[in-house]
Amino acid sequence: MLRQLAVSIATLIALSHSSLARAEAWFEVEVYIFERQSQSTEQWPMAPIETKTNRAIDLISPVVGQAVVSMSNESAPCTLVYDADANSHCAESTSTDTNTTTEMSNGGALAISGPSTASSNVVTSYRYPSVIPSEIGSGSQAYASQGSGPVLLASSQGQFASIISSLSRERGNRSLLHMTWQQPMMGKSGSVPIRLFAGKDYSASYHFDGRQIVQQAMASAMQGTNGTTGMMTEASAPLQPSPVWQLDGTLNIYLSHYLYIETALNLRKEGRKLMPVAADEASMNATNTAATPAKVMTPYLMSIPLEQNRRVKSDEIHYLDHPEMGMVIQIRKMAQPNA
């Protein structure tokens, strides 16, 4: 009797979970972000707000970046190359090392795996252009499938054309990002944010925290291991710095009876800031003082935050206002995707 009761309870739980899975809510999200020129005198934070982009879903990099796939295996390396029809083959490797790196241009074959062993370790990174285009979309019309995560749609599947045209005509406005995607909606605890970034990469001139990069002497930077200048060896080549995007952060949307959107975005603008000048030891000894170092106006990359949490209604067009930028967003109901 007890066993039959336990089986009945387990069956009811399974059916309940199955019903919840079938009832999973899917929505189509369209976002347009633009920068505006303003004369705001507001004082912005000293450092960028925390964005936690490391756990966000990135729909932009596969479209605009050049994928660099590295892998390390205990056995002989093999790079599986996937063609447009998702067929794979083991590509020939020119390296005898167990570490393999493969580059992929947009629209090309993608190397994503080593041999089919548990010891495979695949890491994908991207190389980006100096400026990200404002229009982000898949190469052809796309649709989500049941059980999948967020799917980037083609630009033609968006519905903001007239809104973008109207806002672009206003003096001082400049488009930063427009994209549309489909995603399942989770509760707050299970939601995963979407990574948003756009505009110019400032990493050649500024650190992530906004400080200007002081260029080292070219002679020492170009010094090779053979003692000659004018040629940089592979061993001494500097690492590629992480991008410092003009717009960078996350957009999190979750469902808790109502729809909620959380933005954690930084908009970076070049400016000037009063910064201390580091005095050398000789000059400090000459003046025999330990006073606070002098300050001068120095180029600085300001970080302007757009951090909001707002309850919204589906199918309505919402506008998030800000002195330096604006965001237009619509979360549209959609049919449950097919398997």
Side-chain angles (χ1 to χ4, degrees):
M1 181 67 178
L2 290 176
R3 183 175 180 180
Q4 290 179 344
L5 180 61
V7 171
S8 299
I9 293 174
T11 303
L12 287 173
I13 292 174
L15 289 173
S16 175
H17 287 181
S18 177
S19 298
L20 287 174
R22 288 196 300 270
E24 185 179 44
W26 278 76
F27 289 85
E28 189 169 285
V29 182
E30 186 166 4
V31 171
Y32 173 63
I33 304 175
F34 62 94
E35 177 188 16
R36 57 156 55 106
Q37 300 298 325
S38 71
Q39 303 300 322
S40 173
T41 58
E42 186 170 349
Q43 297 296 314
W44 305 112
M46 296 287 289
I49 60 172
E50 186 179 6
T51 55
K52 297 181 180 179
T53 56
N54 59 320
R55 62 178 293 268
I57 296 174
D58 184 358
L59 300 175
I60 299 177
S61 290
V63 176
V64 302
Q66 182 185 47
V68 180
V69 183
S70 304
M71 65 181 183
S72 177
N73 307 285
E74 294 178 0
S75 56
C78 170
T79 301
L80 290 181
V81 178
Y82 285 73
D83 59 24
D85 297 322
N87 299 316
S88 65
H89 64 277
C90 188
E92 295 181 0
S93 174
T94 57
S95 172
T96 57
D97 197 348
T98 56
N99 295 318
T100 304
T101 300
T102 304
E103 295 189 10
M104 179 200 72
S105 300
N106 293 337
L110 172 60
I112 63 171
S113 178
S116 55
T117 64
S119 61
S120 298
N121 182 22
V122 180
V123 178
T124 302
S125 58
Y126 292 91
R127 293 177 181 172
Y128 301 96
S130 59
V131 179
I132 298 294
S134 61
E135 191 69 37
I136 302 296
S138 62
S140 59
Q141 290 199 350
Y143 300 93
S145 58
Q146 194 176 42
S148 70
V151 174
L152 180 68
L153 306 186
S155 298
S156 60
Q157 293 175 270
Q159 301 178 16
F160 279 3
S162 59
I163 294 176
I164 295 173
S165 177
S166 178
L167 289 172
S168 298
R169 287 196 298 267
E170 294 185 13
R171 185 175 180 180
N173 289 354
R174 192 176 70 85
S175 297
L176 286 174
L177 179 65
H178 175 226
M179 57 187 294
T180 308
W181 67 89
Q182 295 176 345
Q183 71 169 86
M185 289 299 170
M186 308 293 183
K188 185 174 183 179
S189 60
S191 64
V192 180
I194 301 294
R195 170 83 184 277
L196 303 180
F197 61 94
K200 180 181 178 181
D201 176 15
Y202 287 102
S203 61
S205 303
Y206 297 94
H207 296 284
F208 182 84
D209 61 5
R211 293 175 296 114
Q212 186 183 32
I213 295 176
V214 179
Q215 302 296 334
Q216 302 295 328
M218 290 299 295
S220 60
M222 300 298 289
Q223 182 71 34
T225 55
N226 57 0
T228 62
T229 59
M231 181 179 298
M232 182 176 291
T233 64
E234 182 179 351
S236 63
L239 295 175
Q240 189 75 14
S242 298
V244 179
W245 296 115
Q246 183 177 356
L247 176 75
D248 195 2
T250 59
L251 170 65
N252 189 32
I253 307 174
Y254 61 90
L255 190 61
S256 180
H257 299 295
Y258 298 95
L259 284 168
Y260 291 85
I261 56 176
E262 293 179 335
T263 61
L265 297 168
N266 288 298
L267 175 68
R268 294 181 171 90
K269 283 191 174 184
E270 290 184 286
R272 299 182 71 83
K273 184 178 178 181
L274 200 60
M275 300 283 289
V277 178
D280 56 47
E281 187 176 353
S283 63
M284 289 293 290
N285 291 336
T287 57
N288 195 26
T289 63
T292 303
K295 294 184 177 181
V296 297
M297 293 301 294
T298 306
Y300 194 83
L301 191 63
M302 306 292 181
S303 290
I304 303 169
L306 176 58
E307 194 172 21
Q308 295 190 17
N309 186 334
R310 180 182 296 188
R311 192 181 81 179
V312 297
K313 292 183 178 180
S314 61
D315 297 324
E316 290 186 357
I317 296 176
H318 296 271
Y319 176 59
L320 279 65
D321 196 15
H322 190 281
E324 302 288 341
M325 61 180 138
M327 173 189 282
V328 183
I329 181 170
Q330 185 180 30
I331 305 171
R332 300 185 283 264
K333 295 176 183 177
M334 58 174 284
Q336 179 78 6
N338 294 324

